[in-house]
């Protein structure tokens, strides 16, 4: 009988401790403010829904005036971003080859590249193939600039929309309003 009573007391104590820890966890979470407490992510938006103002209006009208503070529409433009990174790296390589304080304007870079390329001999051209200098990097930069201008004109599909609300209450209300059953 003593063993049974001890086991029952342990079960009760474990259940009470679990409930106490859950309440402490909620209290701790409410004390720590993070962006997740105010934000939601829409992971399946229509591909052409890239107007943040339209998203803000939708939530304010359909969710009892939920105040949207920030709305960000993420688009699938990886190729453009990679091209911009490559362009920046190319500019950095040119900057490292020039004297500090040299103007990085397109016209000045074209002048420096032409001046250096004009001095190349047949051996200098061979070396430039192995170790590119300012003229080679500038030629790559011109190609990348044109590529960026072309890619910037394309339409990219929206992949995610991130909304941050004024209060946690608004975020919870929107989540409650938009929740649907699993079936």
């Amino acid at each position: 009988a003593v063993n049974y009573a001890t086991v029952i007391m342990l079960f009760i104590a474990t259940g009470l401790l679990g409930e106490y820890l859950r309440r402490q966890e909620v209290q701790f979470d409410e004390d720590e403010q993070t962006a997740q407490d105010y934000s939601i992510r829409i992971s399946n938006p229509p591909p052409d829904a890239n107007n943040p103002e339209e998203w803000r209006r939708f939530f304010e009208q359909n969710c009892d005036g939920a105040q949207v503070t920030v709305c960000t529409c993420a688009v699938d433009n990886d190729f453009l971003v990679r091209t911009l990174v490559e362009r920046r790296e190319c500019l950095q390589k040119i900057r490292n080859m020039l004297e500090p304080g040299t103007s990085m304007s397109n016209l000045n870079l074209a002048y420096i590249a032409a001046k250096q390329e004009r001095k190349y001999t047949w051996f200098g051209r061979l070396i430039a193939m192995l170790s590119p200098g300012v003229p080679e990097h500038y030629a790559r930069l011109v190609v990348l600039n044109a590529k960026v201008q072309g890619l910037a004109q394309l339409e990219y599909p929206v992949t995610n929309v991130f909304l941050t609300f004024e209060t946690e209450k608004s975020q919870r209300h929107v989540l409650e309003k938009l929740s649907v059953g699993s079936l």
Side-chain angles (χ1 to χ4, degrees):
V2 171
N3 285 341
Y4 286 126
T6 304
V7 170
I8 291 171
M9 289 297 291
L10 282 175
F11 278 126
I12 292 171
T14 304
L16 291 173
L17 180 63
E19 183 60 32
Y20 171 76
L21 289 176
R22 270 190 289 282
R23 287 183 183 171
Q24 290 297 316
E25 183 181 356
V26 168
Q27 182 181 355
F28 178 75
D29 183 49
E30 289 175 355
D31 288 344
E32 285 292 315
Q33 298 295 315
T34 62
Q36 291 176 348
D37 295 334
Y38 296 90
S39 302
I40 64 169
R41 177 180 75 132
I42 300 168
S43 57
N44 60 348
D48 61 343
N50 59 2
N51 185 351
E53 191 60 32
E54 197 173 311
W55 283 100
R56 184 187 63 76
R57 254 186 281 115
F58 171 80
F59 280 99
E60 288 179 355
Q61 289 172 358
N62 296 315
C63 295
D64 303 324
Q67 288 254 225
V68 176
T69 304
V70 177
C71 178
T72 303
C73 297
V75 294
D76 186 18
N77 61 350
D78 288 346
F79 191 58
L80 172 61
V81 171
R82 282 193 308 245
T83 305
L84 285 168
V85 168
E86 186 180 350
R87 179 185 174 280
R88 187 175 187 173
E89 289 170 350
C90 191
L91 273 170
Q92 190 61 40
K93 287 176 185 175
I94 293 172
R95 186 176 286 120
N96 291 339
M97 292 177 178
L98 299 175
E99 295 289 322
T102 303
S103 170
M104 294 295 288
S105 71
N106 200 30
L107 191 60
N108 191 44
L109 290 178
Y111 171 73
I112 293 169
K115 196 164 97 175
Q116 286 184 10
E117 194 170 17
R118 186 173 161 193
K119 293 179 185 177
Y120 280 173
T121 61
W122 68 270
F123 186 69
R125 290 190 210 303
L126 184 64
I127 298 265
M129 285 184 206
L130 300 173
S131 175
V134 173
E136 292 76 26
H137 286 301
Y138 179 72
R140 181 67 185 148
L141 181 67
V142 169
V143 169
L144 290 171
N145 282 339
K147 195 174 184 181
V148 165
Q149 288 175 347
L151 290 171
Q153 295 175 32
L154 298 176
E155 291 289 324
Y156 296 99
V158 176
T159 56
N160 289 297
V161 176
F162 300 94
L163 294 146
T164 302
F165 296 93
E166 191 72 31
T167 63
E168 276 185 79
K169 184 179 177 185
S170 293
Q171 185 244 19
R172 288 182 185 150
H173 177 69
V174 167
L175 287 174
E176 183 181 306
K177 191 110 170 157
L178 295 178
S179 67
V180 292
S182 57
L183 296 178

